[in-house]
Amino acid sequence: MSPSIGDMEPAEAESAYFNEYPPPKALPKHEALARAFIERHVEANRRVVLVTSGGTTVPLEAQTVRFIDNFSAGTRGATSAEYFLEQGYAVIFLHRQYSLLPYSRHYSHSTNCFLDFMDEAPPTSDSENPDHGRIVVRSEYQDEMRDVLRKYRYAKQNNLLLLLPFTTVSEYMFELRSLAKLMQPLGSNALFYLAAAVSDFFIPRSRMAEHKIQSSEIPANFSHEDAIGSNEIYTGENAPEPPKASKKLVIDLDPVPKFLHRLVDGWSPEGSMVVSFKLETDPSLLVYKAKTALQRYSHHLVIGNLLSTRKWEVVFITPNPPYERWIRVPKARRSKSISGVEDQVGLAEIKKGKEASSNESEKPPSESAGDGIEIESIIIPELVKLHGAMIQDRTDKAQ
């Protein structure tokens, strides 16, 4: 029996995994776009961040009808990309197709429909059609929408934002590896901000069903000639009664190889900074799991967050002092969160002797933040400082 990918050495596991799947059809196009984008910013000596965002699907069939997904809508990644652009970075935004995007995220959520911000102005006397008025932004939203529009147009017109989509976990892996290698010329000006919610499990292509998994048993004597008009196959539609024996679907998943270490020691530019996220639901596990991830993958920063408090607090776990640093939005300035649990703020913090190092923003809320501060507006400037310090340290050592 051949060893599973999880039992192989990193380089061997990488080769085995990527040989399981054909490259995404869009990969050559994405590589061409990314290469031109990166070359432009290398010439300008500008920092470039690769932001990954949204969830990955795990197909159950080669001709996919069913798949496993997660809850991620890409909020963290899309929001962070905007703040990176404000800090002068160029952004490659590798995102789940149809997840939230920078700038348009303000108006694409179901509770913030862009149509609610629009109105039809009264027709003018010189209008070609007296029954049709111009579509306009409602007066109370003019300033807010103008601010978002100007930022978006500036990013696009100056070629500072590149949007590249993926859907499946294998597509994500192909794209991440390719982009990391293309970013080699950036050196220490490259930053990886891995906010995507990547599946931990998958079905190897060699074990995947080719066609849709059937929800009922197929008769042993079935032939394609019998398919049309057959009343022996339960489809769930217009059937007089369901089958007497139900069929369970048992899925055997393999762990997705942990390529996060390969990103550091094989794919990314020497001297670049790699930041990853660790999401947990149990406060007692968060710091431990984040520290374990930092040690295992040799990243420069792991940002830990709880599902219930992720919009209000995160923890920076670093290999150097202070090792554990909490960043929080002050209580009076926290945005409302349907899924948030206020009482869980602070439960994951490890207090040894004196209070652990933390930072609560005292900056006034931005006009676009609505009824609260977006925590990404605090995370990104702090992260930029760390990246700048890494670049300076590398420059000092080279002199």
Side-chain angles (χ1 to χ4, degrees), residues 24-311:
K25 292 180 180 179
L27 187 61
K29 177 183 177 182
H30 290 178
E31 288 176 335
L33 291 170
R35 185 177 293 108
F37 185 86
I38 291 164
E39 287 175 355
R40 174 188 178 95
H41 297 299
V42 167
E43 186 176 345
N45 194 31
R46 181 176 289 112
R47 298 183 194 178
V48 177
V49 58
L50 171 60
V51 176
T52 69
S53 183
T56 60
T57 67
V58 178
L60 302 186
E61 306 114 342
Q63 299 188 48
T64 307
V65 174
R66 299 180 177 89
F67 56 84
I68 300 171
D69 204 353
N70 63 46
F71 79 97
S72 177
T75 306
R76 178 83 79 201
T79 307
S80 298
E82 291 182 21
Y83 289 109
F84 273 119
L85 287 162
E86 286 188 12
Q87 293 288 326
Y89 281 67
V91 176
I92 301 174
F93 191 67
L94 181 61
H95 66 282
R96 165 71 175 276
Q97 190 174 32
Y98 308 127
S99 65
L100 295 177
L101 298 176
Y103 303 114
S104 65
R105 71 178 176 97
H106 296 272
Y107 308 106
S108 60
H109 195 277
S110 59
T111 58
N112 206 22
C113 177
F114 76 96
L115 293 174
D116 292 333
F117 293 79
M118 296 184 178
D119 214 337
E120 184 176 3
T124 59
S125 57
D126 58 347
S127 174
E128 293 182 4
N129 190 331
D131 294 327
H132 289 183
R134 292 183 302 109
I135 301 300
V136 297
V137 175
R138 294 172 61 181
S139 59
E140 62 265 40
Y141 301 119
Q142 287 277 341
D143 291 341
E144 179 182 341
M145 293 195 77
R146 183 184 298 108
D147 181 57
V148 173
L149 178 61
R150 284 178 175 175
K151 290 178 180 178
Y152 170 74
R153 291 183 66 181
Y154 180 84
K156 294 295 289 184
Q157 290 172 355
N158 290 279
N159 199 23
L160 295 170
L161 177 62
L162 177 63
L163 306 177
L164 301 176
F166 66 84
T167 301
T168 68
V169 64
S170 64
E171 289 173 352
Y172 172 82
M173 291 297 185
F174 270 100
E175 296 276 0
L176 178 62
R177 182 177 69 162
S178 177
L179 290 170
K181 292 181 177 181
L182 287 172
M183 291 172 71
Q184 290 282 345
L186 288 161
S188 58
N189 275 344
L191 172 61
F192 295 84
Y193 185 82
L194 308 179
V198 183
S199 173
D200 290 322
F201 302 95
F202 79 117
I203 299 178
R205 181 66 177 81
S206 56
R207 295 208 330 262
M208 193 180 294
E210 177 65 26
H211 298 286
K212 175 188 173 185
I213 299 171
Q214 296 299 311
S215 58
S216 63
E217 296 289 348
I218 302 298
N221 60 350
F222 172 81
S223 67
H224 288 286
E225 289 76 15
D226 298 328
I228 299 177
S230 171
N231 59 5
E232 297 184 40
I233 302 175
Y234 176 63
T235 65
E237 296 182 7
N238 302 320
E241 60 182 17
K244 294 182 173 58
S246 62
K247 182 179 180 182
K248 293 182 179 179
L249 176 62
V250 179
I251 304 171
D252 184 14
L253 301 173
D254 284 4
V256 172
K258 298 300 184 182
F259 292 130
L260 292 180
H261 203 292
R262 291 291 294 155
L263 180 62
V264 174
D265 63 12
W267 304 346
S268 63
E270 185 178 354
S272 60
M273 184 176 187
V274 180
V275 179
S276 59
F277 281 79
K278 174 58 68 173
L279 176 73
E280 294 293 336
T281 59
D282 186 342
S284 66
L285 290 178
L286 178 62
V287 172
Y288 168 77
K289 294 295 289 289
K291 288 182 176 179
T292 300
L294 184 76
Q295 296 168 359
R296 179 177 298 167
Y297 304 124
S298 300
H299 291 178
H300 304 97
L301 170 65
V302 173
I303 301 178
N305 54 153
L306 282 178
L307 180 65
S308 59
T309 61
R310 67 191 186 281
K311 295 184 184 298

